[in-house]
Every structure is written in structure tokens, then in C-alpha cells.
Amino acid sequence: MAERSLATRRTLRLVLGLVFAFLYIPIAVLVALSFNKGGLPTAWSGFSLKWYASLAGNSAILSAGLNTLIVALVSTATATLLGTLLAIGVEMRRRHGKALEALIFAPMIIPDIVLAIALLSFFSMLNLTMGLHTIILAHVVFNLAFVCSVVRARLKSFDWSIVEASADLGASALTTFRRVTLPVILPAVIAGALLAFTLSVDEFIIAFFTAGAGRASTTLPMQIYSMIRFGITPEINALATIVMAVSITALTLSQRLNRGIIGQ
């Protein structure tokens, strides 16, 4: 029995190792080739940082990076505020069925392409000129559910009696939220914001459909897409590495905060 259990564990480890290799070896190759000295994207010819330096002189990439930062920061701030208030409102009522749950978390479940087409149709119906503002609005809709779900995970263990005690002592609703509720749920709010920022930086399909024409509303994922249509270069590998590093950093911080929230 012990030998069979040992063999089973070894098999599971082998399968797990193969899965991780399948997932992460291509990413590792991309990162390594971003430091490739030669111009060929698939043949190693020495270590160099010149492709990262090349990005600094590329006006199209810098403009796309600025657009991505604007969209991510504004949409994250808006989605965090609205998502936190939505989570508090839903939890305070405590009378919500599955229909309301499905309505709140629909953007998380609906495929990106469907949500992108729906938002495009909605903006067209309102005769809105497409640009960064429509990308921001679309990302707020997309990120709202993620922020709400993270904050609600913290509110599940929240002691609402302290809110009632604050009200009994004469504090207003705003004061209670600022000095009682917010400090308790702040780690969840930050985790939700980091997750929303990561999703906004990485998101391509919704931005592509709601950006409109012209470079004025081109984000980094859209810029990468337009560049790889003409072939993959080490410069693209360097750009993808930077985007991936930012996303992994924000996501790691969000996950650490989430572990702390769940442990409380």
C-alpha cells in the first residue's frame, strides 16, 4: 500500500511538472530572448539590454504606455470606489437572492468578446465618440465585479455590531464608514484595486472594440498586437516582458493581501 501511494505521488508530481513546463517554458523563453543581442527573435547571440533602451526611444510605444497607465489608474480608482460601495450595500441588506448575485458578477462570467460587443453597441446607441474615455468606462464595468467580490470576501467576517455601536454613539454614516468600516476592510479594498489594475493593464479585447480609430487611444496590448502582425522582434519580447512584470507584481501583492483577508 505504501509503495502504491508513493508511486501515485510521483505520478502526480510528474504530471504537475509537465503542466508547469507547458505553461511557463514559453514565458521563460520570451523573457530570455528579450535580452538577446542579435536581431533574430529565436536565435541567442549574446546578452544585451539594447532592446529595452530601444523602447525608451519609440514614441508609439511610449504613447501607448501612457494611455495604458491613464486607463488603468482611472478605471481602477472608479471601479474600486463603486465596487466597495456596492459590496457594502449588498452585505448590509443581506436580502439578496441568486438573481442579484448573477447580475453583479455577470461581467466576470460573460466572455470578453460578448461584453465588448455589448459595450460597443451601447456606446454607438448613445452616439459617443470612441476614445480613452470609452475604454475607461468599459474597464470600470469589467473590473467592478472583481473588486466587489474581493471586498465581499472580507465583509463575510465583518462584525456589523461595531457599525451599530458607532451609530449609537452619535457618529454619522460618513464618519462611521471613514473611521470604522474602511480601516477594517482596507486590505480587501487594496487587494481589489491591485487586481483591477492588473486586469486593466492586460485587457485587450474590450479595449480593442471600444477604442475607436487612431493612435490617440491605443493601449499597450493593442500596440503589441499591431506590432506582431509584421513579425516578432526582440523589441516586442522586451515590451511583453515589462507588461508581464507589472502584472505579476500587482497580482502577487493582491494575492498576499487576499490570503491575509481569508486568514482573518
Side-chain angles (χ1 to χ4, degrees), residues 243-257:
V243 173
M244 184 174 59
V246 172
S247 301
I248 290 175
T249 301
L251 188 59
T252 301
L253 292 174
S254 176
Q255 290 297 318
R256 289 193 174 186
L257 287 171

Side-chain angles (χ1 to χ4, degrees), residues 187-233:
V189 174
I190 297 175
L194 289 171
L195 179 60
F197 182 83
T198 302
L199 294 172
S200 186
V201 169
D202 290 343
E203 206 285 318
F204 167 73
I205 297 177
I206 295 176
F208 183 78
F209 273 75
T210 59
R215 287 191 170 273
S217 56
T218 299
T219 62
L220 272 180
M222 295 168 61
Q223 180 67 27
I224 293 174
Y225 173 74
S226 66
M227 291 170 67
I228 63 174
R229 287 160 50 189
F230 303 101
I232 299 176
T233 65

Side-chain angles (χ1 to χ4, degrees), residues 76 79-81 83-84 87 143-152 188-189 192-193 196:
T76 295
T80 300
L81 174 62
T84 301
N143 288 328
L144 187 63
F146 290 94
V147 175
C148 182
S149 65
V150 174
V151 176
R152 284 191 64 195
V189 174

Side-chain angles (χ1 to χ4, degrees), residues 82-97 100-101 104-105 145 147-161 163-164 177 181 185 188:
L82 297 179
T84 301
L85 295 177
L86 177 61
I88 294 173
V90 170
E91 284 300 318
M92 286 185 66
R93 288 183 175 274
R94 295 177 181 247
R95 291 183 180 180
H96 47 82
L100 181 57
E101 294 277 346
I104 293 174
F105 298 116
V147 175
C148 182
S149 65
V150 174
V151 176
R152 284 191 64 195
R154 177 66 184 93
L155 290 173
K156 292 295 183 182
S157 58
F158 184 77
D159 185 6
W160 291 99
S161 64
V163 175
E164 297 173 359
F177 174 76
T181 307
I185 66 172

